Amino acid sequence: MKKSLQKVAWRQGAVIIPNEWIVDKSGATELKESSAIFVANCAKLGFGFSETLLQEINCISIPNKLEILEQLKELRGVNKNWTPLVKQWNIPTGEDIVDHLITWFANIIGSNKGIKLPCGHLIPEGTFPLERYNGCPFCGTPFEFEALELKASKNKLQILKLWKEADLKNYLKSLLESPVTLDVSQAESLKILLAHYDVPEDTKINIKETLMLVIDALVKNDKWRKAENLFSTPNDILRYLWYKHTGFLQIIEPKTIVSRKTNNASHYNVALDKSIQSRIKAVNDLKLKFDRAQCRMYATWINDLEMDVSKQCENMHPKRSMWVRVIRALRLAEYSKKSGFEKLAILLDDFYNENYEVWQATVNKMKLKSDAESTFKLLKQRPGLFARSLFSSMLWFGPNVTLAHFKEIISLLPKRLIFTLNMYAENYFDPSNQRVVKPLGGNNKKIEANKLLKLYSKEELKAMQESVRDLSLDVIKEGFKMVK
């Protein structure tokens, strides 16, 4: 069993025992002496075993048991150097910056007065108390090494369970179908599993960040043709391109990345201020360069999208400035003239000439005309966006008509979203309240209250809050009615 797969199992509190490790297929019921010693050593590390795992371990060879033991030691970090650089480290050694400067000058000049250490540094007399150090006080190189010796304690052991190859595949499927974004450890485990197993055919990937990791695994295995079935919009392709270029799983604007890196490198001391160099480096790093193979891959993905061309243009519109750069860098105009890329040619023509309508622009146009019926007809087409603009629509058209239309599509929304609206209503309808938001990849910003709040009295704003609260209560009542 490969060490990387075993690492995935460790994180889930399991041990993988491959079938080829089983040497005693008679199914011995008595615990062997080597197994007993193995269990005792693992207990010192804080690990125990389930009954099924112990039966499997009892049937494997001694080298395999030693392999598992070494991996457990590596997991606990007992083989690392646990000797501190300073003896009695809780007592100050009395050194200061002058001692470092004297030592630095002595090593530059090459003085003969002092003690030469194995690392090559000369420590002048009267600077560092060498009797207090287990290594070089100037560079920090340790000279004494001691492994951590763990002993059995009264603490509860971590019980490890048995995993087979089928359990790894089930865990892979659970990661792919996770309803929330994976953390760093889960993302690393997913990459390891995708390097050994294919994506199950009946798996539905719900999170875009997880989708990018799957596509990247397919591309690395030279299966990018299979990846085109995972893209549904042009911005999915842009997200993957940006992930490979910057390492971010979200589409963060270039100006935001440059601004963030510039601010991180700034300093009040002019000598330590590296903001200009950092800005130049960030701009150069964000320049797009692709070889012919990459250009053809992205061009094929975009050309084979099943989405209607007008919908694709609308999807690309919010990131129009980024798409203009990407189209040039990928030479898409050149590929659109080739046979088989006719849909790409139509897409580029409509996108550059803006021969498409943007849904949000139409909504804003209807709002400015105070056309409530047309506005709500459009908002009902996208219930999620209707929920996001519910409070502003209540201020614009009035609470009664807005909530009447909103109730028509409320069954299409998750209940947690309705409860969230109830939670934010009190803050939103407060004219003196400032909302704090954090843009993706940026810093916290304060947003002033909606100016339309000044058109309403305190009693009217209080009534709006109560109407949203009543709406959430109605949702709760309907939920209880469905329970039998």
Side-chain angles (χ1 to χ4, degrees), residues 101-113 116 122 124:
L101 289 174
I102 294 174
T103 305
W104 180 72
F105 276 114
N107 284 274
I108 292 295
I109 298 173
S111 175
N112 294 325
K113 296 181 179 179
K116 195 80 169 181
L122 178 71

Side-chain angles (χ1 to χ4, degrees), residues 190-367:
L190 178 61
K191 292 178 183 178
I192 294 172
L193 293 172
L194 288 174
H196 295 85
Y197 304 111
D198 294 330
V199 179
E201 294 181 357
D202 58 339
T203 302
K204 183 179 180 182
I205 304 174
N206 301 312
I207 303 299
K208 294 291 185 181
E209 287 81 355
T210 306
L211 182 64
M212 297 303 107
L213 298 176
V214 175
I215 293 170
D216 189 40
L218 292 174
V219 173
K220 287 181 178 179
N221 294 330
D222 200 20
K223 298 178 181 178
W224 62 269
R225 284 282 184 180
K226 293 183 178 180
E228 66 183 14
N229 298 324
L230 301 175
F231 294 110
S232 56
T233 66
N235 275 350
D236 289 344
I237 300 175
L238 179 63
R239 183 190 287 264
Y240 174 71
L241 182 148
W242 205 238
Y243 162 62
K244 292 299 294 180
H245 191 62
T246 63
F248 296 115
L249 286 168
Q250 301 86 12
I251 304 177
I252 302 177
E253 295 283 347
K255 62 180 180 181
T256 304
I257 298 175
V258 173
S259 175
R260 190 62 179 265
K261 291 189 176 182
T262 302
N263 293 336
N264 290 343
S266 61
H267 201 279
Y268 67 91
N269 189 334
V270 178
L272 300 176
D273 186 16
K274 305 294 181 182
S275 58
I276 297 178
Q277 297 92 320
S278 179
R279 182 180 183 84
I280 295 173
K281 185 178 183 303
V283 171
N284 291 331
D285 290 343
L286 290 175
K287 290 181 179 179
L288 300 175
K289 295 180 181 178
F290 302 98
D291 56 33
R292 286 286 177 177
Q294 291 174 320
C295 292
R296 187 172 187 84
M297 179 181 69
Y298 285 108
T300 304
W301 282 345
I302 298 174
N303 184 74
D304 293 344
L305 284 174
E306 297 180 359
M307 179 183 285
D308 184 70
V309 171
S310 60
K311 295 293 184 182
Q312 292 186 41
C313 293
E314 182 183 359
N315 182 260
M316 296 164 64
H317 182 79
K319 304 295 181 184
R320 186 177 180 86
S321 59
M322 292 184 66
W323 269 112
V324 170
R325 293 179 56 200
V326 168
I327 289 171
R328 292 173 182 171
L330 291 176
R331 307 179 183 91
L332 295 185
E334 176 184 337
Y335 279 93
S336 65
K337 300 176 183 178
K338 296 183 178 182
S339 176
F341 290 91
E342 289 78 14
K343 190 175 180 179
L344 176 61
I346 298 174
L347 173 65
L348 295 183
D349 183 68
D350 289 351
F351 182 70
Y352 273 110
N353 295 310
E354 299 187 12
N355 297 332
Y356 57 91
E357 291 185 358
V358 180
W359 180 85
Q360 187 61 52
T362 308
V363 172
N364 295 340
K365 182 179 178 181
M366 293 298 107
K367 287 184 69 174

Side-chain angles (χ1 to χ4, degrees), residues 67-272:
E67 181 180 343
I68 295 175
L69 181 61
E70 290 301 320
Q71 290 177 353
L72 288 174
K73 286 183 178 180
E74 183 179 349
L75 190 66
R76 287 298 193 210
V78 297
N79 294 327
K80 296 180 180 180
N81 182 21
W82 290 90
T83 303
L85 182 64
V86 180
K87 301 175 183 178
Q88 296 180 333
W89 51 269
N90 56 332
I91 302 175
T93 58
E95 65 183 69
D96 54 19
I97 187 64
V98 177
D99 297 324
H100 285 270
L101 289 174
I102 294 174
T103 305
W104 180 72
F105 276 114
N107 284 274
I108 292 295
I109 298 173
S111 175
N112 294 325
K113 296 181 179 179
I115 300 175
K116 195 80 169 181
L117 298 180
C119 62
H121 288 128
L122 178 71
I123 307 299
E125 296 180 0
T127 54
F128 296 96
L130 292 179
E131 67 278 0
R132 291 284 309 280
Y133 287 89
N134 291 317
C136 176
F138 187 65
C139 67
T141 302
F143 300 144
E144 295 185 16
F145 299 90
E146 181 180 356
L148 180 65
E149 183 179 353
L150 293 182
K151 298 180 180 180
S153 64
K154 297 181 180 179
N155 296 332
K156 189 175 180 180
L157 299 177
Q158 179 183 351
I159 304 300
L160 301 176
K161 55 189 175 183
L162 174 65
W163 263 22
K164 293 292 185 179
E165 190 173 12
D167 296 299
L168 285 173
K169 293 181 179 179
N170 291 335
Y171 181 57
L172 170 61
K173 187 173 182 179
S174 67
L175 290 176
L176 294 174
E177 295 179 345
S178 173
V180 296
T181 307
L182 304 180
D183 59 29
V184 177
S185 297
Q186 290 173 328
E188 184 183 356
S189 298
L190 178 61
K191 292 178 183 178
I192 294 172
L193 293 172
L194 288 174
H196 295 85
Y197 304 111
D198 294 330
V199 179
E201 294 181 357
D202 58 339
T203 302
K204 183 179 180 182
I205 304 174
N206 301 312
I207 303 299
K208 294 291 185 181
E209 287 81 355
T210 306
L211 182 64
M212 297 303 107
L213 298 176
V214 175
I215 293 170
D216 189 40
L218 292 174
V219 173
K220 287 181 178 179
N221 294 330
D222 200 20
K223 298 178 181 178
W224 62 269
R225 284 282 184 180
K226 293 183 178 180
E228 66 183 14
N229 298 324
L230 301 175
F231 294 110
S232 56
T233 66
N235 275 350
D236 289 344
I237 300 175
L238 179 63
R239 183 190 287 264
Y240 174 71
L241 182 148
W242 205 238
Y243 162 62
K244 292 299 294 180
H245 191 62
T246 63
F248 296 115
L249 286 168
Q250 301 86 12
I251 304 177
I252 302 177
E253 295 283 347
K255 62 180 180 181
T256 304
I257 298 175
V258 173
S259 175
R260 190 62 179 265
K261 291 189 176 182
T262 302
N263 293 336
N264 290 343
S266 61
H267 201 279
Y268 67 91
N269 189 334
V270 178
L272 300 176

Side-chain angles (χ1 to χ4, degrees), residues 376-428:
F376 290 124
K377 183 179 179 180
L378 289 169
L379 289 174
K380 290 175 188 177
Q381 297 174 4
R382 303 185 181 182
L385 291 176
F386 193 177
R388 291 178 60 184
S389 61
L390 177 64
F391 296 157
S392 61
S393 298
M394 290 173 64
L395 296 176
W396 191 276
F397 295 109
N400 296 330
V401 64
T402 302
L403 291 176
H405 285 281
F406 186 68
K407 288 179 180 178
E408 297 179 12
I409 54 93
I410 197 172
S411 60
L412 303 176
L413 296 170
K415 291 182 177 58
R416 59 179 176 81
L417 179 56
I418 307 301
F419 301 149
T420 304
L421 290 174
N422 179 37
M423 181 177 62
Y424 284 121
E426 183 177 356
N427 294 331
Y428 188 90

